[in-house]
Amino acid sequence: MQNRYDRIFPGTIAASILLMLLGVALDDPANILPGLYHIVTMQDLLITDYVHIAGVGATLVNSGLVMIISILIIKLSGDPFNGFTLVEMGLMAGFSLFGKNVLNIWPILLGTWLYAKYQKEPFAKYASVGLLATSLAPLVSYMALGSIHASLPLGILTGVVIGFILPSLSAYTYKIQNGMNLYNMGFACGLLAMMIVPVLTAFGDKPDSVLYWAEGYNKTFSILLLVLCAVFILGGLFATGSPVWAVWAGYRRLLSTTGRAPSDYLRMFGAGPVLINMGVNGLLGMTYILLVDGDLNGPTLGGIFTIIGFSAFGKHAFNILPVMIGVALGAYGMHYTPDYPSLQLAGLFGTTLAPIAGHFGWPFGILAGFIHSALVLQTGGPVAGLNLYNNGFSGGLIAIVLYPTITAIVRHRRPKLRDEDYYDLFEESAPIDVSTWRTHSKDHTSRYPSHPADPAPNMPEDEDREPVSDVTPSHYPHMIDDEDSDSFGVHSHVSDGQPL
């Protein structure tokens, strides 16, 4: 079963090269190098669309180069491949279309490497965190190029400090969100940026958000996304070595999970269902932008790439659609329209709250999306456009408020913090046997007529349910505390979660 990871490295290299070739094909090759120069010399504050400032060619080449750098760092550090590797590739490729480039990510990675050395631990443990921490890459560019105190050494030093701080901070913030916000690093970076910006202001600096937004590329990028998503779906069905019926059955089981972090779908269901999920979710993201009369450009394409990446780790059609609907409804409620640039991104990146829809049900997913549409427009101010994962910052605040509130008031249960290790997301790679896990409501047929079956799937996050003393014991395992259970969005009869 370990061969499910064998194609990640060559597949990522191939995808990176394809992106760069597309960049050369879709633009005048003479524009590539000048475009890359424009990219690496921008301050990169949100929202800086590289397609707008440098053209399609240079933007796709930058994305391909950053993807190659990212997968090589994971490979050479010894960090094992798993579903989260696909998340990282989606994030790095997507945000390299608006904010990350081949230069501003290195100081942060250096800082994380120094942190590993300081802790006397292998860099493999922190390599993934270092890649995620490049959410604050715009701060590196700003301190090197845009600040009134700007200098190259200052930019490098800023990145090193960021990379050194975020491993410990993100490990802590992961726990307090209870797996309800998939962009944990966005929340951690938002907190750090919210402290840095006032300090900069006190020293006379005034970083602020910008808006560079490309239009007129819907046809080009629609064709590219249609082909890409079709390749994912067909590849999942016919190119993974498993029977089509088995792959489809795995995808159906995947759709019944909540997506609560950590939900490594590649370890749980294998490559086939995950590839189908990536293709379907990518199409949903593109369809959302087109339905709201939005623009397919660097930032929105980055949002779709992020959704595709997280399709291996928590997102599926049933838990992202309610959030998207909530964001669209919220836009009209605020007298905006969903095609407002920041709200286009909120509709895509707001799916960080997909676990709320998966865990509590679609009405609460719509509620989370509705709140997010308003909050995300305000969270960008305190961080002055320096945090690329601004939707993760907003999502973290919403998750911290909604999870205990809904659990206690609506479900009449006692909220609990999950004692999960953040670094398990990156270090665990053994396949998970889900053959005995109960993920469908049909598995909840009650043996006792007086106690009807729970219509909702029995997920591990339901383990904070208070025991009901008058119910005759079931033939299923009792709900146990989070720390004694599997943590992949579905409940297992095999409590020790032994791999295949």
Side-chain angles (χ1 to χ4, degrees):
M1 293 295 289
Q2 289 288 350
N3 62 4
R4 69 181 65 184
Y5 313 118
D6 290 346
R7 298 181 183 178
I8 291 180
F9 182 74
T12 302
I13 296 295
S16 304
I17 294 173
L18 180 60
L19 275 177
M20 291 187 283
L21 292 176
L22 284 172
V24 174
L26 294 173
D27 203 347
D28 185 348
N31 294 333
I32 303 297
L33 288 179
L36 287 173
Y37 177 79
H38 283 304
I39 286 174
V40 300
T41 55
M42 288 295 294
Q43 297 178 29
D44 296 321
L45 301 174
L46 282 177
I47 304 170
T48 301
D49 183 353
Y50 288 163
V51 174
H52 178 82
I53 67 169
V56 175
T59 300
L60 293 180
V61 169
N62 181 66
S63 181
L65 290 173
V66 171
M67 275 187 75
I68 290 178
I69 291 170
S70 302
I71 195 65
L72 285 176
I73 286 174
I74 293 176
K75 177 77 171 178
L76 297 177
S77 70
D79 190 12
F81 292 150
N82 53 27
F84 207 83
T85 307
L86 300 181
V87 170
E88 293 161 328
M89 294 305 103
L91 279 172
M92 298 304 288
F95 281 93
S96 298
L97 304 175
F98 70 115
K100 299 183 184 183
N101 61 58
V102 292
L103 293 185
N104 65 9
I105 63 175
W106 286 107
I108 295 175
L109 292 168
L110 174 60
T112 306
W113 180 81
L114 291 174
Y115 179 81
K117 293 300 180 184
Y118 177 77
Q119 296 290 353
K120 298 180 180 179
E121 293 182 290
F123 180 57
K125 180 175 180 179
Y126 301 103
S128 294
V129 175
L131 292 174
L132 297 176
T134 55
S135 169
L136 290 179
L139 183 56
V140 176
S141 296
Y142 180 76
M143 297 307 295
L145 303 167
S147 167
I148 62 173
H149 312 289
S151 69
L152 184 59
L154 182 59
I156 294 173
L157 177 61
T158 301
V160 169
V161 171
I162 291 169
F164 196 88
I165 291 175
L166 280 171
S168 56
L169 176 59
S170 60
Y172 181 79
T173 58
Y174 176 68
K175 296 183 179 182
I176 62 176
Q177 297 167 87
N178 275 282
M180 292 295 164
N181 176 33
L182 294 177
Y183 305 165
N184 169 59
M185 184 59 78
F187 182 59
C189 288
L191 293 176
L192 182 58
M194 196 166 60
M195 296 176 62
I196 292 173
V197 169
V199 173
L200 292 177
T201 303
F203 281 88
D205 239 328
K206 293 183 179 180
D208 199 5
S209 301
V210 298
L211 180 61
Y212 298 99
W213 189 264
E215 298 177 350
Y217 293 92
N218 283 15
K219 182 178 179 180
T220 300
F221 287 141
S222 292
I223 294 172
L224 293 179
L225 286 171
L226 284 171
V227 173
L228 175 65
C229 293
V231 168
F232 283 144
I233 294 171
L234 294 175
L237 287 171
F238 303 109
T240 59
S242 299
V244 173
W245 66 265
V247 173
W248 186 251
Y251 176 62
R252 290 184 59 200
R253 289 180 69 83
L254 183 153
L255 290 174
S256 66
T257 63
T258 67
R260 185 177 183 182
S263 293
D264 191 327
Y265 289 155
L266 190 59
R267 294 177 61 200
M268 294 163 63
F269 301 104
V274 168
L275 285 171
I276 293 176
N277 197 40
M278 292 167 69
V280 170
N281 290 353
L283 291 175
L284 289 175
M286 181 188 71
T287 301
Y288 176 84
I289 293 298
L290 296 179
L291 284 177
V292 301
D293 197 25
D295 303 297
L296 290 174
N297 52 24
T300 55
L301 202 62
I304 294 170
F305 281 1
T306 299
I307 290 176
I308 290 174
F310 271 94
S311 299
F313 206 92
K315 294 185 182 182
H316 57 70
F318 290 169
N319 65 9
I320 66 175
L321 282 175
V323 180
M324 289 179 170
I325 293 171
V327 171
L329 293 175
Y332 289 111
M334 293 183 293
H335 306 291
Y336 286 95
T337 54
D339 63 345
Y340 183 67
S342 293
L343 289 175
Q344 289 186 51
L345 297 183
L348 299 172
F349 290 110
T351 53
T352 181
L353 294 167
I356 290 181
H359 177 42
F360 293 112
W362 64 264
F364 295 102
I366 293 176
L367 174 64
F370 187 91
I371 297 172
H372 182 74
S373 67
L375 183 59
V376 74
L377 297 181
Q378 307 304 319
T379 53
V383 300
L386 295 173
N387 179 21
L388 290 175
Y389 306 164
N390 182 50
N391 282 265
F393 183 33
S394 170
L397 296 173
I398 294 170
I400 290 173
V401 172
L402 286 189
Y403 174 74
T405 303
I406 299 173
T407 300
I409 297 176
V410 178
R411 287 198 164 186
H412 305 288
R413 301 176 187 170
R414 179 163 55 91
K416 293 182 180 180
L417 287 176
R418 306 178 78 188
D419 189 18
E420 298 286 346
D421 187 349
Y422 186 43
Y423 297 105
D424 285 348
L425 274 65
F426 319 119
E427 296 179 318
E428 297 293 335
S429 60
I432 303 298
D433 183 1
V434 297
S435 60
T436 57
W437 291 16
R438 294 185 290 134
T439 60
H440 294 84
S441 57
K442 68 181 182 181
D443 296 325
H444 289 249
T445 304
S446 176
R447 296 173 61 191
Y448 308 99
S450 59
H451 300 286
D454 186 346
N458 206 9
M459 307 298 180
E461 50 266 30
D462 292 326
E463 291 153 7
D464 54 8
R465 178 182 304 176
E466 297 295 339
V468 182
S469 58
D470 62 341
V471 176
T472 307
S474 166
H475 64 292
Y476 290 125
H478 291 291
M479 298 300 98
I480 52 181
D481 289 339
D482 285 331
E483 58 267 23
D484 297 324
S485 66
D486 296 301
S487 304
F488 297 93
V490 284
H491 190 74
S492 173
H493 286 297
V494 186
S495 61
D496 59 1
Q498 294 178 355
L500 288 174

